[in-house]
Amino acid sequence: MNKIKLPVVMHPLNDDIVRLKKAGNITEIMCAEKTNTQCPILRVNKDNYVDKRTGEVKNFNHIESRAEDKNSVRVSLTKLRDIINANITNPDYCRWVTLTYAENMTDDKRLYSDFKKFIMRMRSRNYIFEYIVAMEPQGRGAWHAHLLMIFDKKAPFIPNNQLEEIWGHGFVKIKALSDIDNIGVYLTAYLGDMELDEAIKNGLSVDKSSVKEVEVLDESGKKIAKSIVKGARLSLYPPKFHIFRKSRGIKLPDISYTSYSEAKNSVGDATPTFEQSVIITDPQTGFNNQIYTGYFNTNRINSQS
């Protein structure tokens, strides 16, 4: 498959049916010229499948790391981004906490076991919240847990030393999110990207084209510039590893299908933060499809309106 970005955004027609995804303050409008409602393959067993278009029996390509399955990683991080945005519209209602280990702890099964016990101890101290937790592998093999505690009112002050005591395995960091209006995008970047210094220190191959300058928050919540390597951390995730988990009360994004004109009405005067039209082509079959995607943030209203 080849992907060609069009130089001019080609918007859908008003009567075209689009997918409308609402996740808190972020709304996504997506329209494909052609849609496929049937799966083209039939699974035979864990190793083989039938291509229903040709009748051929083919082998599944089993992956050795998450980095080899780019689409799976993309889907996981996109799902996490949307779930975060669907549940956090006011940063004052949440706490973002990073849980680390004092030693070089590399056991991903122990990681989730320790986290469950941490949540139980927080509950026993009468901290009532929903949560989303995402695990981040370090270049040296150690794990961090990024935890979003979401309260139903302004989040209480929790002393850092108290959180460290409840965690009991190392250090705890709390960062502010008050100046970020797309928290899902901001936090999921941590799970795929890596600071350039860390990548070099751990001997990872760095493509210069993947190095970007971005703004991040330091320990005091101040924005500073850093060089990061896009996607460098993906190769560190074990195959089939669950990148994130959530509590039962966490909401999912609202997805519906409607006309493009109705979708535009739903975002009102919100400024598009991203719009793109691409053409997907398959040289082997001659298939091509044009896809429009637009993101709108209701926290950003068009100043010209």
Side-chain angles (χ1 to χ4, degrees), residues 116-277:
K116 288 179 181 179
K117 294 173 183 175
F118 168 76
I119 292 296
M120 292 175 64
R121 290 193 289 269
M122 290 291 289
R123 302 290 195 222
S124 70
R125 299 199 183 198
N126 295 320
Y127 287 112
I128 307 301
F129 55 87
E130 301 296 337
Y131 69 81
I132 303 168
V133 63
M135 306 310 188
E136 176 197 11
Q138 305 299 293
R140 68 182 190 280
W143 285 96
H144 287 176
H146 291 294
L147 169 65
L148 282 165
M149 296 186 291
I150 305 167
F151 298 84
D152 60 3
K153 55 186 176 182
K154 187 173 181 179
F157 171 74
I158 307 175
N160 198 83
N161 59 352
Q162 183 184 104
L163 275 178
E164 286 190 354
E165 177 191 347
I166 298 172
W167 169 235
H169 298 291
F171 310 106
V172 171
K173 298 179 182 178
I174 303 176
K175 291 187 178 181
L177 296 171
S178 56
D179 293 330
I180 301 170
D181 65 357
N182 192 328
I183 294 175
V185 167
Y186 183 82
L187 296 187
T188 52
Y190 273 79
L191 305 177
D193 302 339
M194 183 183 293
E195 290 185 18
L196 179 59
D197 291 344
E198 182 184 354
I200 294 174
K201 179 180 178 181
N202 289 283
L204 299 183
S205 177
V206 176
D207 183 348
K208 290 183 179 180
S209 65
S210 64
V211 178
K212 307 291 183 183
E213 292 292 325
V214 299
E215 282 189 339
V216 299
L217 300 181
D218 64 12
E219 300 302 321
S220 64
K222 181 181 178 182
K223 289 184 179 181
I224 59 174
K226 282 194 175 182
S227 297
I228 58 97
V229 185
K230 299 288 289 182
R233 201 174 300 280
L234 299 181
S235 62
L236 304 180
Y237 284 98
K240 300 180 181 179
F241 179 76
H242 293 290
I243 296 176
F244 71 94
R245 296 185 185 183
K246 56 186 176 61
S247 58
R248 291 183 180 180
I250 289 296
K251 299 177 294 185
L252 297 178
D254 178 48
I255 298 176
S256 60
Y257 292 85
T258 186
S259 68
Y260 180 60
S261 61
E262 288 297 323
K264 284 287 290 179
N265 287 337
S266 73
V267 298
D269 293 327
T271 304
T273 57
F274 175 84
E275 285 188 295
Q276 179 177 270
S277 294

Side-chain angles (χ1 to χ4, degrees), residues 11-20 28-35 255-264 289-292:
H11 292 88
L13 300 176
N14 283 336
D15 292 334
D16 286 343
I17 300 300
V18 302
R19 186 187 70 184
L20 183 66
E28 175 193 316
I29 298 175
M30 192 277 288
C31 180
E33 183 181 21
K34 300 171 185 174
T35 58
I255 298 176
S256 60
Y257 292 85
T258 186
S259 68
Y260 180 60
S261 61
E262 288 297 323
K264 284 287 290 179
N289 198 4
Q290 183 173 308
I291 300 173
Y292 162 84

Side-chain angles (χ1 to χ4, degrees), residues 2-13:
N2 296 326
K3 180 178 179 180
I4 304 171
K5 180 180 177 181
L6 298 181
V8 178
V9 176
M10 305 294 292
H11 292 88
L13 300 176

Side-chain angles (χ1 to χ4, degrees), residues 63 65-74:
I63 62 173
S65 75
R66 290 299 294 269
E68 294 177 24
D69 187 0
K70 298 293 186 183
N71 187 60
S72 174
V73 176
R74 178 186 63 79

